[in-house]
Amino acid sequence: MKKHLIDSGASLRDAFGRLNSLSGGNLTLFVVDAEERLVGSLTDGDLRRAIIAGRTLETDVADVCRRPCMSLSDGADRLCAVSEARSRGVTLLPLTDSEGRITQLLDLRTLKAVLPIDAVLMAGGRGERLRPLTLDCPKPLLNVGGRPIIDYNIDELRANGVDNIFVTVNYLKEQIIEHFSDPRFEGCVRCVSEPRRLGTMGSLSLIPDEEFRHDNILVMNSDLLTTIDFQRLYLHHARSGAALTVAATPYTVSIPFAILRTEGSRVTGLTEKPTYNYFANAGVYIMRRDVARYIPHGEYLDAPDLIERLIDEGRPVEYFPIDGSWIDIGSPDDFRYANELMSRLPQM
């Protein structure tokens, strides 16, 4: 972040030098005062226009910077602010604290959104249908297209501004914990160890409520490959007022026989080789934080059981159709297909 900050007393000559050092990157500087509070922004175009207007290379940058510049303060709606900034052509958006000091810079060339959610990735399964591949390697760490499966999901969440991610682990958990000890995951990914198998939702009870920062939690299986639009999923969930939203993938069943239509033992007609279309649970959910009270601490609980409990309590449950790719790598054939796909599409 520091390379994009320049003191308000610096000269235009200094600013040109700083921008030159950023060549190939995001060519924006932010002018800060002696207390490191945001003053304004500077681009190469701003500097050139200042020189054309008769300013010298020794002019202070504070005299020519763009002010006020667009920034995002604590407590602001980050999702809307990022969308507005992108619509204005802003490529680097500063986050400021209550004193106006820059705490973070959002690179909107790579950041898709800043979603106000926490995330929990389930990575404790044994992957038994993929044996012998999973005898010595946990399924989320199997390489697909040269990268561990789970990393595709972590990177996509981070690209959507999710920086509080929990990974629940059990089987061969030491390997997953070691994987996330890499510095690139520091500060955004934490592993939570299950004392025993707790199902797809039971391990949420191991995360203290105060560890969550937002009102909604995204929960997903860590061994999926999907191009789901997390922003659209979140917006659908938030606007619907649902307690829980299930991401769903289309599933078609074709029956190669004529199916009888009956009343009692009487045949009333036949349907020749019918096709039925359904939505199947895709293993991705967004739930309100208070839904965690339906999850008994340390007890086994799968997602379908939690959903049934919510429905029985009269809490609204929605579904969100996935418009894109979705692969549940549950079999050797799925694993081979995923590798073939990712060899053609290195980034999902």
Side-chain angles (χ1 to χ4, degrees), residues 55-199:
R55 302 298 184 115
T56 71
L57 290 176
E58 306 311 317
T59 301
D60 287 351
V61 293
D63 294 335
V64 302
C65 69
R66 188 176 305 180
R67 56 168 101 187
C69 67
M70 191 169 187
S71 64
L72 181 57
S73 60
D74 278 347
D77 186 335
R78 295 188 176 190
L79 189 58
C80 291
V82 167
S83 178
E84 181 183 354
R86 185 172 282 115
S87 70
R88 294 187 184 183
V90 173
T91 58
L92 200 60
L93 182 65
L95 270 61
T96 59
D97 62 17
S98 58
E99 302 297 322
R101 296 182 180 87
I102 299 177
T103 58
Q104 187 180 351
L105 293 176
L106 303 181
D107 188 343
L108 303 190
R109 299 173 306 168
T110 57
L111 190 67
K112 297 179 179 179
V114 182
L115 299 181
I117 58 175
D118 303 287
V120 180
L121 271 64
M122 303 300 181
R126 302 179 66 87
E128 294 179 345
R129 290 181 294 162
L130 278 171
R131 290 185 174 180
L133 293 174
T134 53
L135 287 174
D136 300 311
C137 178
K139 183 178 173 182
L141 294 188
L142 290 177
N143 275 344
V144 171
R147 298 173 60 200
I149 299 168
I150 195 172
D151 282 9
Y152 288 101
N153 295 314
I154 294 290
D155 290 346
E156 186 64 18
L157 288 170
R158 294 179 71 180
N160 279 274
V162 181
D163 59 5
N164 191 37
I165 303 172
F166 299 90
V167 177
T168 63
V169 297
N170 188 327
Y171 177 66
L172 299 178
K173 62 183 179 182
E174 295 80 9
Q175 293 186 38
I176 300 177
I177 293 171
E178 173 65 23
H179 178 73
F180 286 112
S181 67
D182 188 289
R184 75 186 181 96
F185 299 111
E186 186 176 355
C188 71
V189 179
R190 284 173 283 176
C191 291
V192 177
S193 296
E194 292 181 323
R196 58 189 176 281
R197 289 185 63 205
L198 294 176

